[in-house]
Amino acid sequence: QVQLTESGGGLAQTGGSLSLSCAASGRPFTCYNLAWFRQAPGKEREFVAAISRNGLGTYYADSVKGRFTMSRDDGRTSIYLQMKNLKPDDTAVYYCAANSGDTSYSRYDYSYWGQGTQVIVSS
């Protein structure tokens, strides 16, 4: 089992940047594929980015490709999401998630979740 804790959310203006972090504890970090999801008010939780357990594969939703960068630091047992050129549509609660199966875009394939961190982008 792994415990996940996000940090780094906040308020940004359109075109601005924010960085999110997710710290993991528990079972060895390298056992997991990791992902970021987000959920806006009244909407379903949606995939943002994922990174494979070996760190060699990263995958992004079309809506964030070219603006967001996901990385992992196995030594620090953390993952990061650097967000640039933010848009009001990026406003959401951002969650990190882990699974021990295949890298997936589906929230149903992730067993472990953090509590979420709020990102608000003002226009």
Side-chain angles (χ1 to χ4, degrees):
Q1 194 169 6
V2 63
Q3 293 79 42
L4 303 170
T5 305
E6 303 94 338
S7 61
L11 179 64
Q13 293 185 337
T14 297
S17 300
L18 282 173
S19 293
L20 306 183
S21 301
C22 176
S25 61
R27 196 176 170 202
F29 195 59
T30 52
C31 292
Y32 298 97
N33 300 303
L34 297 145
W36 289 97
F37 287 79
R38 67 186 182 187
Q39 188 166 17
K43 295 187 177 180
E44 294 193 350
R45 194 169 297 188
E46 65 175 7
F47 172 79
V48 174
I51 190 165
S52 60
R53 58 171 57 85
N54 62 13
L56 297 181
T58 51
Y59 311 89
Y60 297 94
D62 288 343
S63 59
V64 307
K65 202 172 293 183
R67 300 188 298 120
F68 291 11
T69 302
M70 181 176 182
S71 59
R72 65 186 291 164
D73 183 337
D74 292 339
R76 296 186 176 183
T77 62
S78 293
I79 60 172
Y80 307 97
L81 186 68
Q82 295 184 349
M83 305 184 292
K84 299 180 180 179
N85 192 20
L86 285 162
K87 304 176 181 181
D89 284 349
D90 296 319
T91 295
V93 177
Y94 283 71
Y95 298 89
C96 62
N99 82 4
S100 56
D102 295 328
T103 304
S104 172
Y105 296 169
S106 171
R107 66 184 188 271
Y108 300 109
D109 293 331
Y110 289 84
S111 301
Y112 306 104
W113 294 86
Q115 82 288 350
T117 186
Q118 178 74 58
V119 170
I120 298 173
V121 183
S122 63
S123 57

